[in-house]
């Protein structure tokens, strides 16, 4: 396991509520969820930087492009 | 990470100490192309010449070197098993992404670790070794890799939950040897069978595998 460093994170009530809701749904700790989110952001960012686009597709195969800031 | 694990030397039937590690580099990918792929192709040609096409592994065209850019992506974790100064197996996991969500009704929506690729060195695979007139050299490579996936899942707080798409030839390995639950065919992934571990099943597998 890689060495880990600790940081303090300040969240609004709404952000904390969202974090708690997502971590409950995913059944992982809040820390694990934030680490997953960071890694996912890296994946998205790497693909967008290569000129790829991010889409969501519904059951009828309709695609919606997701804008990422 | 480097850990000692036991695999079985088929020449003696005895366990031997191999090393499983996650410091995978592009050199390991090149090793698979240089040492594994020629053996896979040679065996595949033999099988084709005997009209045993059904025994040709469906992953015979895999090229790990194309995955070199993925080594830099934190969502991916690679594991290798080495013994006798040779790579005996290689696996790629995803800790977050499209397939990292459980589908089994009792744990639907929860996070899991996805096994994206697993490959065992061709000299350890019975159909390929047999095609070349040999016996498989080592057993339990695939089991050790799936065990590593479960341990990674626990480390990631996914409680051992693991999911994967199986090629048709390996479905029996995952259902019988690994005792994973087959959930259903996935039209989004060449209609491959999707299998999953619950936390309890994963724990039972680890207990049985050791």
């Amino acid at each position: 396991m890689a060495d880990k460093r600790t940081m303090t994170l300040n969240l609004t009530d709404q952000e904390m509520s969202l974090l708690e809701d997502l971590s409950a749904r995913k059944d992982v700790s809040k820390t694990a969820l934030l680490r997953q989110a960071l890694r996912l952001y890296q994946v998205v960012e790497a693909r967008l930087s290569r000129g790829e686009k991010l889409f969501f597709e519904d059951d009828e195969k309709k695609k919606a492009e997701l804008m990422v800031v | 990470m480097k850990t000692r694990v036991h695999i079985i030397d088929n020449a003696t039937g005895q366990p031997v100490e191999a090393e499983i590690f996650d410091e995978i580099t592009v050199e390991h990918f090149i090793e698979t192309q240089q040492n594994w792929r020629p053996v896979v192709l040679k065996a595949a040609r033999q099988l084709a010449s005997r009209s045993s096409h059904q025994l040709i592994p469906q992953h015979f065209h895999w090229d790990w070197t194309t995955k070199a850019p993925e080594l830099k992506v934190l969502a991916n974790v690679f594991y290798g098993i080495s013994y006798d100064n040779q790579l005996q197996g290689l696996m790629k996991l995803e800790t977050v992404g499209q397939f990292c969500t459980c589908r089994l009704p009792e744990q639907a929506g929860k996070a899991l670790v996805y096994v994206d690729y697993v490959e065992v060195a061709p000299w350890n695979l019975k159909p390929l070794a047999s095609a070349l007139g040999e016996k498989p050299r080592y057993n339990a490579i695939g089991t050790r890799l799936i065990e590593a996936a479960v341990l990674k899942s626990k480390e990631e707080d996914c409680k051992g939950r693991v999911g994967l798409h199986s090629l048709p030839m390996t479905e029996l390995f995952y259902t019988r040897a690994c005792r994973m639950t087959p959930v259903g065919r996935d039209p989004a992934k060449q209609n491959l069978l999707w299998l999953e571990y619950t936390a309890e099943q994963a724990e039972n597998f680890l207990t049985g595998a050791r």
Side-chain angles (χ1 to χ4, degrees), chain B:
Chain B
M1 173 282 250
K2 286 182 184 176
T3 309
R4 298 277 172 192
V5 292
H6 284 126
I7 59 174
I8 307 297
D9 183 345
N10 285 327
T12 62
Q14 295 299 309
V16 292
E17 216 171 58
E19 188 173 65
I20 190 161
F21 56 99
D22 62 2
E23 291 95 5
I24 301 294
T25 68
V26 71
E27 292 299 319
H28 294 105
F29 295 162
I30 293 169
E31 183 180 341
T32 66
Q33 280 304 101
Q34 288 180 334
N35 299 345
W36 293 9
R37 216 51 59 203
V39 180
V40 173
L41 292 174
K42 189 177 173 187
R45 281 194 197 98
Q46 287 290 328
L47 290 167
S49 70
R50 295 176 204 162
S51 299
S52 301
H53 298 88
Q54 75 281 2
L55 295 176
I56 296 174
Q58 288 130 344
H59 67 272
F60 77 96
H61 60 285
W62 282 2
D63 181 353
W64 286 90
T65 61
T66 62
K67 303 185 195 314
E70 298 184 41
L71 286 168
K72 295 177 186 167
V73 179
L74 294 182
N76 303 329
V77 186
F78 291 85
Y79 286 95
I81 289 190
S82 66
Y83 181 72
D84 198 21
N85 293 317
Q86 280 186 313
L87 199 58
Q88 303 293 342
L90 199 56
M91 174 174 72
K92 180 196 164 204
L93 304 179
E94 289 181 2
T95 57
V96 65
Q98 183 186 2
F99 297 117
C100 292
T101 302
C102 295
R103 304 180 189 187
L104 264 177
E106 63 261 43
Q107 59 184 11
K110 293 183 179 178
L112 57 71
V113 165
Y114 177 64
V115 182
D116 196 13
Y117 287 94
V118 182
E119 187 171 11
V120 171
W123 47 81
N124 299 323
L125 293 172
K126 194 175 178 183
L128 298 186
S130 299
L132 300 173
E134 298 168 10
K135 288 182 178 173
R137 290 184 207 167
Y138 305 107
N139 261 355
I141 310 288
T143 310
R144 293 288 92 82
L145 288 171
I146 296 301
E147 192 180 310
V150 170
L151 292 172
K152 185 64 184 175
S153 167
K154 293 176 85 164
E155 187 186 314
E156 293 293 321
D157 202 28
C158 292
K159 283 99 178 162
R161 295 185 296 262
V162 165
L164 58 85
H165 292 97
S166 173
L167 291 169
M169 288 180 85
T170 50
E171 287 177 5
L172 282 180
F173 168 72
Y174 292 118
T175 52
R176 291 190 185 171
C178 300
R179 300 190 301 282
M180 295 184 81
T181 300
V183 181
R185 302 272 160 201
D186 188 352
K189 187 89 172 175
Q190 295 101 45
N191 230 26
L192 297 176
L193 183 64
W194 171 261
L195 300 108
E196 226 171 273
Y197 273 136
T198 63
E200 186 183 4
Q201 288 168 342
E203 201 58 49
N204 289 338
F205 168 66
L206 282 185
T207 309
R210 282 172 182 160

